[in-house]
Amino acid sequence: MRKKVTIAGAGQTGATLAHWLALRGDVDIVLFDIVDGLPQGKALDLLEAMPVIGSDAKIVGTNSWEATKDSDIVVITSGLPRKPGMSRDDLLKVNAGIVRDVTRAAVAQSPNSILILLTNPLDAMCHIALHESGFPAERVFGQAGILDTARFSSFLAAELGASVADVNAYVLGGHGDDMVPLIGSTNVGGIPVSKLIPAARLEEIVVRARKGGAEIVNLLKTGSAFYAPSAAIAQMIDAVINDRKRILPCAVYTGDNAGGYGVSDLYLGLPARLGAKGVEEIFHIDLTESENSDLQKSAGSVKELVDALKTFDPPMLP
Ligand code: APR
């Protein structure tokens, strides 16, 4: 039977994800939003493209949670972008409230689903979804690392005039300016990247990857990136519905120090095996001393947000 994927939030990332999935045509798609007509209009437009594409994808747009019933996967993109004058805490509070409400409504219809988060600040939003759903952590995870890695990889490929297919890179940590590109584990066609690009130039590329989200926001001015983030989610969905056992960097729950990075009880970008059950295993990569200290710093930034959620009135997390 075809799998059912609900996308909560029919904005830029949600609708573009529906587009990637419809091109593949292997799942039924429900596009949900609170704005009347928005998901219906986008879903209908996309459905009408399918005869041209030659895909039998089913796409439905709705403002009703009932239509999402028995979804296998629910992707949460609902949220507000940061607006001028909004503090980071303001955004955290608003999006935490949206993710809380969406999670409750989604899991009431689809109690056996897998939740994939995209709303920012991503790692903190995963904590909200985990708490509100009551799901085991292997069924609640977030997209960030594939995007961060893809940005880093695309810059390396452009720098070297290489094919993106030959760049093997990894970016771990939280989805923020202190994410951790692993230079020591990055190679192009098997050649360590440090042998191909001088250290100073490599550092510039690392900085650009870390600020990749802001670079797009500054160019677009009216929103944030959506093609690459949604492509990354489409890859995660493929790994789950086809039980591919892909090892991908995802925002995953460390619980009792899963992966052995010395980080507990926190969502963080780490290499994880994704299959039919969701996150099936979190893997350890040997880090250099500086990579490890960067990872700990990044974890500290995520923890600050999680702690802030606990201090809100009323608290968003216990
Ligand atoms: N329930 C469902 N949808 C909601 C809700 C809600 N409670 N509140 C807001 N939305 C919808 C909005 O109506 C909008 O259509 O979420 C959608 C968000 O779309 P965009 O504003 O276009 O934002 P987008 O670029 O898709 O980014 C969404 O993903 O990458 C992150 O930082 C980004 O947090 C942001 C999220």
Side-chain angles (χ1 to χ4, degrees):
M1 194 163 117
R2 286 163 66 83
K3 301 283 185 188
K4 178 171 176 177
V5 176
T6 284
I7 304 168
Q12 296 280 63
T13 51
T16 313
L17 172 60
H19 188 190
W20 295 120
L21 295 179
L23 289 178
R24 237 167 35 206
D26 55 358
V27 292
D28 293 339
I29 303 160
V30 180
L31 200 50
F32 174 93
D33 205 286
I34 46 169
V35 178
D36 179 37
L38 179 75
Q40 293 88 341
K42 289 191 177 179
L44 183 59
D45 190 12
L46 200 48
L47 189 72
E48 289 167 358
M50 292 306 103
V52 184
I53 302 300
S55 162
D56 286 313
K58 307 256 179 309
I59 310 137
V60 172
T62 185
N63 305 118
S64 137
W65 279 110
E66 285 74 42
T68 71
K69 193 170 173 48
D70 293 331
S71 294
D72 298 285
I73 296 177
V74 178
V75 179
I76 300 181
T77 77
S78 339
L80 296 190
R82 188 159 163 179
K83 299 203 177 108
M86 234 180 169
S87 74
R88 198 175 59 162
D89 271 9
D90 290 340
L91 180 72
L92 183 67
K93 201 170 205 170
V94 172
N95 280 353
I98 292 173
V99 168
R100 176 195 58 203
D101 295 350
V102 166
T103 302
R104 281 184 191 160
V107 305
Q109 298 295 333
S110 304
N112 300 313
S113 58
I114 283 174
L115 304 180
I116 306 180
L117 278 289
L118 189 69
T119 305
N120 276 319
L122 188 265
D123 306 272
M125 295 305 105
C126 291
H127 278 264
I128 298 283
L130 180 72
H131 172 65
E132 292 299 333
S133 64
F135 285 2
E138 62 261 30
R139 281 171 40 214
V140 183
F141 46 93
Q143 187 299 119
I146 298 174
L147 167 66
D148 298 332
T149 300
R151 283 185 175 140
F152 187 41
S153 299
S154 68
F155 300 152
L156 291 174
E159 178 73 13
L160 293 167
S163 165
V164 290
D166 292 330
V167 180
N168 303 300
Y170 242 102
V171 179
L172 303 186
H175 187 46
D177 290 351
D178 47 16
M179 64 182 77
V180 190
L182 300 187
I183 301 295
S185 312
T186 297
N187 68 74
V188 180
I191 306 161
V193 72
S194 54
K195 299 239 186 281
L196 296 170
I197 301 177
R201 178 67 187 138
L202 202 46
E203 181 55 25
E204 286 172 5
I205 295 172
V206 164
V207 170
R208 188 176 178 201
R210 283 189 166 136
K211 297 187 178 213
E215 183 176 2
I216 305 243
V217 168
N218 290 337
L219 288 167
L220 292 178
K221 297 179 186 75
T222 55
S224 50
F226 53 97
Y227 288 115
S230 57
I233 295 250
Q235 186 178 53
M236 294 166 85
I237 292 173
D238 174 58
V240 171
I241 63 162
N242 294 306
D243 196 20
R244 284 202 198 280
K245 316 288 189 197
R246 295 288 313 269
I247 298 177
L248 298 166
C250 304
V252 290
Y253 183 62
T254 55
D256 187 16
N257 189 22
Y261 294 89
V263 177
S264 299
D265 191 23
L266 206 65
Y267 271 90
L268 198 63
L270 295 175
R273 184 171 59 228
L274 287 193
K277 296 192 179 85
V279 175
E280 298 183 345
E281 192 170 349
I282 296 172
F283 292 93
H284 187 79
I285 295 182
D286 284 334
L287 303 179
T288 64
E289 208 169 296
S290 82
E291 286 169 348
N292 183 48
S293 97
D294 287 352
L295 189 76
Q296 300 304 327
K297 183 170 164 233
S298 181
S301 301
V302 175
K303 188 161 183 329
E304 264 178 40
L305 295 181
V306 173
D307 287 344
L309 288 167
K310 295 177 182 173
T311 61
F312 285 149
D313 184 20
M316 305 293 262
L317 287 173

